[in-house]
Amino acid sequence: IPLLHRALAMSKRSLSLFASPWTAPAWMRSNGDVRGKGTLKGHAGDKYHKTWANYFIKFLDEYAKHNVTFWAVTAQNEPLAGLFTPPQAPTIAFTAAQQRDFIAQDLGPALARSAHRTQLLMLDDQRIHLPHWAKVVLGNATAARYVAGLAVHWYLDAIVPPGCSLEATHKLFPDHFLLYTEACTGFFMFR
């Protein structure tokens, strides 16, 4: 929070902050640990999913007490990485259908009922998953009305051309923006 206050004070214009979760608490996860392969227990609409959605609101509430507001949140950082992650990495696995249902039944309504004007981004994973992921989530009218845009990572961009992923997705869902939310150099050790 002090670093965010410093950054906000130094900026000549307002900053658009977004937050992206890595994992839910261990008691909410199928493997009973914050690390390794695991999903949220149960299914969308149940107590685990509703509680996880309320964690987002509590997070936004607590930061707001310190005059830090978030322009957007993502439903999950790298949801498919949760299937392939090293054993010590904290992550939650979601399929596109699971993310759709979580957004439609839990996270979307929780954000809409809250006092926050925070937007919701979906995917937050490699663009190789587009347009499939967008078709599953945004193809559902309930989920689509809660989603402002698609968060995309760049690590596997060399595998799929932008026309097959970004452009195809934009043509299907022109009212939802595409935003690169994660990138770094040195990801591939051999390059």
Side-chain angles (χ1 to χ4, degrees), residues 184-191:
C184 72
T185 58
F187 174 70
F188 294 111
M189 299 300 193
F190 57 84
R191 297 174 101 181

Side-chain angles (χ1 to χ4, degrees), residues 25-122:
W27 67 270
M28 297 175 70
R29 290 175 39 104
S30 62
N31 67 346
D33 194 331
V34 296
R35 299 161 300 175
K37 295 178 179 90
T39 61
L40 282 177
K41 289 180 181 176
H43 52 82
D46 71 8
K47 67 180 181 179
Y48 297 104
H49 287 69
K50 296 232 177 285
T51 300
W52 183 228
N54 288 330
Y55 265 67
F56 282 73
I57 307 309
K58 185 70 171 172
F59 168 86
L60 296 170
D61 289 345
E62 292 303 313
Y63 273 82
K65 289 177 185 177
H66 297 277
N67 295 318
V68 176
T69 58
F70 287 84
W71 163 72
V73 294
T74 71
Q76 175 60 42
N77 181 62
E78 296 191 357
L80 284 178
L83 300 174
F84 312 107
T85 188
Q88 295 304 311
T91 186
I92 300 175
F94 275 101
T95 65
Q98 288 168 327
Q99 188 172 86
R100 174 200 62 213
D101 296 346
F102 175 58
I103 288 170
Q105 295 180 43
D106 306 299
L107 183 55
L111 278 170
R113 284 189 309 268
S114 78
H116 306 285
R117 297 302 103 213
T118 304
Q119 296 188 63
L120 179 58
L121 308 182
M122 55 162 277

Side-chain angles (χ1 to χ4, degrees), residues 15-28:
L15 298 179
S16 297
L17 303 175
F18 80 93
S20 185
W22 278 80
T23 187
W27 67 270
M28 297 175 70

